[in-house]
Amino acid sequence: ITAYWAIKTTGAVTYQVLGQVKNSCIIVLGFIIFSYPVLAKNVFGIMVAISGACAYLYARILDQRAAEQAAQRLLQPSIHFVDDDKTTNLAVKSPSDKDLSSRRVPGSP
């Protein structure tokens, strides 16, 4: 039941990455508890697993920050006015303004 909750909360990829980190910890504890001789390939494999998890965590943090910044931009809309000499003007006029022919909208001729 907790596995389903963890997958729903974090996502399937994150769940798998955490599973690999858990396996690496179990292997390290096995080396320590049972005094098994540590080979270079064992150390290399554990380092690859841990560094991959760290890289995934870093990428996930960057992705979350980018999503937060995008959400902030959506919450704070801004309208930029451009000089009349440019071909792409964006203007916001009040309903009392009668002459709309001098304003151009992006994409219009």
Side-chain angles (χ1 to χ4, degrees), residues 28-45:
V28 168
L29 285 174
F31 284 128
I32 294 171
I33 292 172
F34 299 113
S35 301
Y36 190 78
V38 179
L39 302 175
K41 69 178 181 178
N42 301 121
V43 174
F44 179 73

mmCIF file of all heavy atoms in Angstrom, residues 28-45:
data_model
loop_
_atom_site.group_PDB
_atom_site.id
_atom_site.type_symbol
_atom_site.label_atom_id
_atom_site.label_comp_id
_atom_site.label_asym_id
_atom_site.label_seq_id
_atom_site.Cartn_x
_atom_site.Cartn_y
_atom_site.Cartn_z
ATOM 1 N N VAL A 28 26.225 -1.832 0.774
ATOM 2 C CA VAL A 28 27.291 -1.293 1.615
ATOM 3 C C VAL A 28 27.208 -1.886 3.019
ATOM 4 O O VAL A 28 28.230 -2.280 3.603
ATOM 5 C CB VAL A 28 27.226 0.257 1.650
ATOM 6 C CG1 VAL A 28 28.132 0.814 2.727
ATOM 7 C CG2 VAL A 28 27.602 0.827 0.299
ATOM 8 N N LEU A 29 26.004 -1.947 3.575
ATOM 9 C CA LEU A 29 25.843 -2.548 4.897
ATOM 10 C C LEU A 29 26.238 -4.020 4.886
ATOM 11 O O LEU A 29 26.802 -4.533 5.865
ATOM 12 C CB LEU A 29 24.407 -2.380 5.386
ATOM 13 C CG LEU A 29 24.031 -0.981 5.861
ATOM 14 C CD1 LEU A 29 22.543 -0.907 6.185
ATOM 15 C CD2 LEU A 29 24.860 -0.592 7.061
ATOM 16 N N GLY A 30 25.954 -4.725 3.811
ATOM 17 C CA GLY A 30 26.370 -6.121 3.693
ATOM 18 C C GLY A 30 27.875 -6.268 3.713
ATOM 19 O O GLY A 30 28.416 -7.183 4.344
ATOM 20 N N PHE A 31 28.584 -5.371 3.036
ATOM 21 C CA PHE A 31 30.046 -5.397 3.060
ATOM 22 C C PHE A 31 30.560 -5.156 4.479
ATOM 23 O O PHE A 31 31.511 -5.804 4.926
ATOM 24 C CB PHE A 31 30.637 -4.347 2.121
ATOM 25 C CG PHE A 31 30.577 -4.707 0.670
ATOM 26 C CD1 PHE A 31 30.045 -3.832 -0.253
ATOM 27 C CD2 PHE A 31 31.067 -5.925 0.210
ATOM 28 C CE1 PHE A 31 29.987 -4.155 -1.593
ATOM 29 C CE2 PHE A 31 31.020 -6.250 -1.130
ATOM 30 C CZ PHE A 31 30.478 -5.368 -2.033
ATOM 31 N N ILE A 32 29.927 -4.222 5.184
ATOM 32 C CA ILE A 32 30.392 -3.877 6.533
ATOM 33 C C ILE A 32 30.073 -4.991 7.525
ATOM 34 O O ILE A 32 30.942 -5.420 8.292
ATOM 35 C CB ILE A 32 29.750 -2.547 6.981
ATOM 36 C CG1 ILE A 32 30.273 -1.400 6.106
ATOM 37 C CG2 ILE A 32 30.029 -2.269 8.449
ATOM 38 C CD1 ILE A 32 29.546 -0.082 6.310
ATOM 39 N N ILE A 33 28.850 -5.483 7.511
ATOM 40 C CA ILE A 33 28.422 -6.469 8.511
ATOM 41 C C ILE A 33 29.099 -7.816 8.306
ATOM 42 O O ILE A 33 29.568 -8.445 9.261
ATOM 43 C CB ILE A 33 26.883 -6.618 8.489
ATOM 44 C CG1 ILE A 33 26.237 -5.327 8.989
ATOM 45 C CG2 ILE A 33 26.429 -7.802 9.336
ATOM 46 C CD1 ILE A 33 24.724 -5.297 8.831
ATOM 47 N N PHE A 34 29.184 -8.275 7.062
ATOM 48 C CA PHE A 34 29.704 -9.614 6.802
ATOM 49 C C PHE A 34 31.189 -9.635 6.441
ATOM 50 O O PHE A 34 31.730 -10.680 6.098
ATOM 51 C CB PHE A 34 28.882 -10.291 5.705
ATOM 52 C CG PHE A 34 27.441 -10.461 6.087
ATOM 53 C CD1 PHE A 34 26.452 -9.749 5.422
ATOM 54 C CD2 PHE A 34 27.078 -11.305 7.123
ATOM 55 C CE1 PHE A 34 25.121 -9.900 5.781
ATOM 56 C CE2 PHE A 34 25.755 -11.466 7.477
ATOM 57 C CZ PHE A 34 24.767 -10.754 6.813
ATOM 58 N N SER A 35 31.846 -8.499 6.501
ATOM 59 C CA SER A 35 33.286 -8.393 6.217
ATOM 60 C C SER A 35 33.647 -9.006 4.868
ATOM 61 O O SER A 35 34.661 -9.683 4.717
ATOM 62 C CB SER A 35 34.107 -9.047 7.331
ATOM 63 O OG SER A 35 33.845 -8.432 8.557
ATOM 64 N N TYR A 36 32.801 -8.777 3.897
ATOM 65 C CA TYR A 36 33.048 -9.284 2.545
ATOM 66 C C TYR A 36 34.120 -8.415 1.900
ATOM 67 O O TYR A 36 34.119 -7.197 2.061
ATOM 68 C CB TYR A 36 31.748 -9.224 1.743
ATOM 69 C CG TYR A 36 31.798 -9.940 0.416
ATOM 70 C CD1 TYR A 36 31.702 -11.319 0.349
ATOM 71 C CD2 TYR A 36 31.933 -9.220 -0.761
ATOM 72 C CE1 TYR A 36 31.734 -11.973 -0.859
ATOM 73 C CE2 TYR A 36 31.980 -9.875 -1.984
ATOM 74 C CZ TYR A 36 31.889 -11.241 -2.022
ATOM 75 O OH TYR A 36 31.931 -11.893 -3.224
ATOM 76 N N PRO A 37 35.055 -9.008 1.149
ATOM 77 C CA PRO A 37 36.099 -8.188 0.512
ATOM 78 C C PRO A 37 35.501 -7.262 -0.558
ATOM 79 O O PRO A 37 34.711 -7.694 -1.403
ATOM 80 C CB PRO A 37 37.046 -9.213 -0.114
ATOM 81 C CG PRO A 37 36.268 -10.473 -0.203
ATOM 82 C CD PRO A 37 35.221 -10.429 0.864
ATOM 83 N N VAL A 38 35.884 -6.027 -0.473
ATOM 84 C CA VAL A 38 35.347 -5.015 -1.386
ATOM 85 C C VAL A 38 36.245 -4.947 -2.618
ATOM 86 O O VAL A 38 37.451 -4.693 -2.502
ATOM 87 C CB VAL A 38 35.274 -3.633 -0.694
ATOM 88 C CG1 VAL A 38 34.736 -2.604 -1.649
ATOM 89 C CG2 VAL A 38 34.439 -3.720 0.564
ATOM 90 N N LEU A 39 35.652 -5.148 -3.793
ATOM 91 C CA LEU A 39 36.389 -5.062 -5.053
ATOM 92 C C LEU A 39 36.148 -3.698 -5.696
ATOM 93 O O LEU A 39 35.166 -3.007 -5.394
ATOM 94 C CB LEU A 39 35.941 -6.180 -5.998
ATOM 95 C CG LEU A 39 36.107 -7.614 -5.480
ATOM 96 C CD1 LEU A 39 35.501 -8.587 -6.471
ATOM 97 C CD2 LEU A 39 37.566 -7.914 -5.229
ATOM 98 N N ALA A 40 37.030 -3.345 -6.610
ATOM 99 C CA ALA A 40 36.918 -2.047 -7.283
ATOM 100 C C ALA A 40 35.622 -1.951 -8.079
ATOM 101 O O ALA A 40 34.984 -0.889 -8.116
ATOM 102 C CB ALA A 40 38.118 -1.825 -8.196
ATOM 103 N N LYS A 41 35.205 -3.060 -8.686
ATOM 104 C CA LYS A 41 33.965 -3.019 -9.464
ATOM 105 C C LYS A 41 32.745 -2.811 -8.570
ATOM 106 O O LYS A 41 31.769 -2.196 -8.976
ATOM 107 C CB LYS A 41 33.805 -4.255 -10.339
ATOM 108 C CG LYS A 41 33.555 -5.536 -9.586
ATOM 109 C CD LYS A 41 33.368 -6.691 -10.554
ATOM 110 C CE LYS A 41 33.089 -7.962 -9.777
ATOM 111 N NZ LYS A 41 32.846 -9.086 -10.666
ATOM 112 N N ASN A 42 32.801 -3.312 -7.327
ATOM 113 C CA ASN A 42 31.713 -3.082 -6.391
ATOM 114 C C ASN A 42 31.615 -1.598 -6.029
ATOM 115 O O ASN A 42 30.520 -1.017 -6.013
ATOM 116 C CB ASN A 42 31.896 -3.903 -5.117
ATOM 117 C CG ASN A 42 31.958 -5.394 -5.372
ATOM 118 O OD1 ASN A 42 32.937 -6.032 -5.037
ATOM 119 N ND2 ASN A 42 30.915 -5.945 -5.972
ATOM 120 N N VAL A 43 32.746 -1.016 -5.718
ATOM 121 C CA VAL A 43 32.785 0.408 -5.368
ATOM 122 C C VAL A 43 32.334 1.248 -6.556
ATOM 123 O O VAL A 43 31.549 2.203 -6.405
ATOM 124 C CB VAL A 43 34.200 0.820 -4.908
ATOM 125 C CG1 VAL A 43 34.288 2.323 -4.696
ATOM 126 C CG2 VAL A 43 34.589 0.081 -3.636
ATOM 127 N N PHE A 44 32.797 0.892 -7.749
ATOM 128 C CA PHE A 44 32.414 1.636 -8.952
ATOM 129 C C PHE A 44 30.910 1.560 -9.184
ATOM 130 O O PHE A 44 30.261 2.566 -9.478
ATOM 131 C CB PHE A 44 33.173 1.097 -10.174
ATOM 132 C CG PHE A 44 32.817 1.789 -11.448
ATOM 133 C CD1 PHE A 44 33.250 3.082 -11.696
ATOM 134 C CD2 PHE A 44 32.040 1.153 -12.409
ATOM 135 C CE1 PHE A 44 32.925 3.725 -12.870
ATOM 136 C CE2 PHE A 44 31.703 1.788 -13.590
ATOM 137 C CZ PHE A 44 32.154 3.078 -13.825
ATOM 138 N N GLY A 45 30.327 0.386 -9.039
ATOM 139 C CA GLY A 45 28.884 0.220 -9.238
ATOM 140 C C GLY A 45 28.071 1.024 -8.239
ATOM 141 O O GLY A 45 27.074 1.662 -8.598
#
